[in-house]
Amino acid sequence: MLLSALSDTAALLKSGMALRTDVVLRLLVVVMRGMAAPATICSLLGQPALPLLSAEGDINIGAVFALHRNALFKVHPFTSRPEKTPCISFNPREFQFAQTLIFALEEINNSSDLLPGLSLGYQVYDSCGSATLAIHSALAMMNSPGPENSLGDPSSCSRSPAVLGIVGESTSTSTIGISSLVGPFSIPVISHFATCACLSNREKFPSFFRTIPSDFNQSRALAKLVKHFGWNWVGVVNSNNDYGNNGMATFMEAAWHEGVCVEYQESIYRTDPREKLLETVRVIRRATARVVVLFLGLGDLIPLLNELALEGDPGLQWVGSEAWITARVLADNKAYGFLRGAVGFAIRNARLDGLEGFLDKVHPSQAPDNTLLREFWETVFQCSYEGGSSTLCTGAESLAKLKNQYTDVSELRISSKVYTAVYAIAHALHNLLTDLKNNTDSGNRLVYTPQQVLQYLKEVRFRVKTGEEIWFDANGDVVACYDLVNWQQEEDGTLQFHAVGLYDSSMPAEQRFTFNQGKLVWVGGQAEAPAAVCSESCPTGTRKAVQKGKPVCCYDCVPCAEGEISNITDSNGCYRCDLEYWSNEKRDRCVLKPVEFLSYEEMMGIVLVFFSLLGSGVTTLVVVVFSIHKDTPIVRANNSELSFLMLFSLTLCFLCSLTFIGRPSEWSCTLRHTAFGITFVLCISCVLGKTIVVLMAFRATLPASNVMKWFGPPQQRLSVLAFTLIQVLICVLWLTVSPPFPYKNMKTYKEKIILECDVGSAVGFWAVLGYIGLLAVLCFVLAFLARKLPDNFNEAKFITFSMLIFCAVWLTFIPAYVSSPGKFTVAVEIFAILASSFGLLFCIFAPKCFIILLRPEQNTKKHMMGKTSNDIRY
């Protein structure tokens, strides 16, 4: 009843392609209840699956292969027991896998070192590419009578299964179904081609092993491969099953970490309607991504390639997974010539000595009643044993002269994994039986179970004749090692697989991916890798700015701002230069900022030096003229001593402007402001003294006035000294508290450094200027009061004009000084010094020089006294 229930349930499941977890759980419950139920005899009811290839041995190994590509499922009316599901489209590649398993078993049986005196049998089932039929096959292997050395009565429903281990299946979905079913019963399953990373989950699949690497490694290797060739804008198409969905999910995650963007992701399955395939083709052809990653099973890929071939070469670079990248059926089809240049990771190739001869010896006469062998023969030779319209099969045909997927032993990448899986079980059995013999009395019968085989598989470690060392990690996986395969067109026009690189997960991370041989050929036969970017690489001096609403790989190249650089391509940001550095024109390097100051070499400095020297020179000429005519009335008038002192101070005023030009230093910063302040106060003090004398002289004409005795030459000298000492005291306090110093101004201009003199104490600086201004205003007021005094040569008028110019210049100076940037601040200050100095020189001394040199007849006491006869002291 148990087997009948299981068989009927499995038959009902055949109408669906996907495996449902709840169905598997129900099946497990049924199995466990049936095993626990007491029964004297266990009879088979229904239609259990039967192996298509089998041979009895002391110990049997089960296997499930998709010997046919498709199963013809029917809708059951539930009015009668379902009939056996027919399978169509013979699969030569999977038949080679089955024969490789038989080859390995016969090799082991003929070996004196491995399992001596014990024969291994096999039961090969056909899943027809269906997960439900794969589960049906697993149920049959679980419920068939076990060997004599197994536990339980052969007639009991609690007996051990017929096989101690299962090899298969080729697809991840079918393998998940088998492992989910037999896992709770600790029956080991070793897959040669199921790569889904999900199968590494020991909680869900406790008895699963595989001799092919997990997609966990392949997906990451593919992401690194795409990144290695500079492709960051790709399209992806995956199988809509466990293999494709899980593998692509891992790839997408790894690609994101590698900075690779995916323009589109399409999922297809071999049974999808043509409209779905056409939509996928339209997406591929219209997309801008020129590199397409195909994470597809071979059966899912062929329908897509057929549709692509109808519209011609799409001109794309293909990146493939191990499921199809070494499929000879694709390379031999001229319609798929656009796959030239494809790259991808493949399981490492291997050579199995003796396998080619073994494959060629397969003949229907070996088992005349075996319908599978007859179908195989009819398929590869396109003949029929029944005759009819087809060529009659004679049995004399030779497989050795045939070249197809079955006879081709140049690509044994997957077949070698079948071979390795068989040897893994054999070595585990050998170790188990060796321990049992050592721990069991010679008279007792050896008893072994699948659970024991499972434990020994976890610890097995051996080396096959291909040179590969095999062992399983805690998840049942082997070390991932891939060849990087490139499809290259030979001179005869055929496509061949060339291994041009290697990926080894056992190596350190930086050494896992290497090119070790060959030369890559890309799509269209190009020698250089095609470009696959959403946006061109951003050069140095720019940064990436992601385009709104698009992936991070689609960006605009934005130039770095002033003062920022990027010295690498595709920089995500610009980096600010240090304070004393600035970006160059290309924004790819920080260079020292130019230091700017008013120098003697530049035109502005030369002009200011010229006028400074001109002013001092003119002043010197005036001194000479006054010295020559020192005894004349116009020179002697109003204290000639003050005139000469004023001319001396004016000369210093002109020369002190030179200290403002050149590279600022501590001594020049200290000298320029103090010298300027003291010399100008000296000059204004002299003017003030002369103004007071003129004013008081006319006040002295009043009767009984004795005021001039307080404004004689000694008093005038003392007043000039007093006024000047006050400025000296201010400067001393300034230099003591916070003196001026050289300062690198980096705030006014970002791109250059202004080397200037910081005044130190702003109070001291403005106190110096304020004191000069105070004296100038006082002098202007007094001169203004004396401007209309009755004299043919009234000096007060000229002093008024000079002070008016002086005050105007320095009032204009203040806003100009504050607002002028950099070296122009210094130029404004020099201009103010020169302008006010020239104003004093020309307004006060030019009229006198005019009379001395051009109007000597007016240089008399009588003329100068004019309208009054009062005696002015000379």
Side-chain angles (χ1 to χ4, degrees), residues 766-826:
W766 291 108
V768 168
L769 291 183
Y771 183 65
I772 296 173
L774 177 64
L775 293 181
V777 170
L778 180 61
C779 187
F780 172 75
V781 171
L782 294 177
F784 182 78
L785 294 175
R787 73 188 187 284
K788 292 184 179 181
L789 292 178
D791 195 352
N792 283 339
F793 187 80
N794 188 353
E795 194 175 22
K797 295 179 182 179
F798 303 114
I799 293 174
T800 301
F801 282 120
S802 66
M803 288 298 103
L804 185 62
I805 294 173
F806 185 91
C807 292
V809 168
W810 285 98
L811 286 175
T812 308
F813 160 78
I814 294 174
Y817 179 84
V818 173
S819 60
S820 297
K823 63 183 179 181
F824 296 102
T825 303
V826 180

Side-chain angles (χ1 to χ4, degrees), residues 699-714:
R699 293 282 184 247
T701 59
L702 298 175
S705 176
N706 196 25
V707 70
M708 281 305 297
K709 71 177 183 179
W710 299 107
F711 291 95

Side-chain angles (χ1 to χ4, degrees), residues 56-256:
E56 287 299 319
D58 298 324
I59 298 175
N60 291 328
I61 295 177
V64 182
F65 298 109
L67 299 175
H68 292 85
R69 292 189 175 94
N70 297 301
L72 295 178
F73 291 102
K74 298 179 180 179
V75 178
H76 300 287
F78 297 98
T79 57
S80 61
R81 193 178 298 277
E83 298 178 357
K84 181 180 179 181
T85 302
C87 298
I88 59 172
S89 187
F90 184 81
N91 192 335
R93 191 186 191 197
E94 293 282 321
F95 188 71
Q96 187 195 67
F97 296 163
Q99 292 300 321
T100 303
L101 177 136
I102 298 172
F103 167 76
L105 289 173
E106 291 190 5
E107 197 175 69
I108 294 169
N109 290 336
N110 294 328
S111 172
S112 59
D113 298 324
L114 192 61
L115 295 174
L118 198 67
S119 65
L120 296 178
Y122 56 88
Q123 294 182 8
V124 178
Y125 289 81
D126 184 10
S127 68
C128 300
S130 165
T132 52
L133 292 184
I135 294 173
H136 195 203
S137 300
L139 286 170
M141 286 185 280
M142 290 175 63
N143 290 279
S144 297
E148 294 182 359
N149 296 60
S150 61
L151 290 175
D153 185 353
S155 62
S156 173
C157 290
S158 62
R159 62 179 179 266
S160 294
V163 296
L164 295 183
I166 300 174
V167 176
E169 213 257 2
S170 295
T171 63
S172 294
T173 299
S174 295
T175 305
I176 289 173
I178 295 172
S179 299
S180 299
L181 179 64
V182 304
F185 302 99
S186 300
I187 300 176
V189 177
I190 304 182
S191 178
H192 58 285
F193 210 4
T195 58
C196 180
C198 59
L199 285 163
S200 298
N201 189 331
R202 265 290 180 253
E203 292 184 359
K204 292 183 177 179
F205 312 105
S207 67
F208 176 76
F209 301 85
R210 54 182 152 201
T211 54
I212 191 171
S214 165
D215 282 337
F216 179 85
N217 297 286
Q218 182 188 196
S219 298
R220 282 161 173 74
L222 284 172
K224 289 186 177 294
L225 176 70
V226 170
K227 180 65 175 179
H228 176 80
F229 292 120
W231 302 327
N232 65 9
W233 188 240
V234 300
V236 297
V237 183
N238 63 276
S239 294
N240 191 15
N241 55 19
D242 294 290
Y243 166 75
N245 293 329
N246 285 277
M248 187 51 64
T250 305
F251 172 82
M252 296 284 281
E253 180 184 358
W256 184 82

Side-chain angles (χ1 to χ4, degrees), residues 331-343:
D332 291 342
N333 193 329
K334 295 186 181 298
Y336 305 152
F338 54 83
L339 292 176
R340 178 178 57 169
V343 294

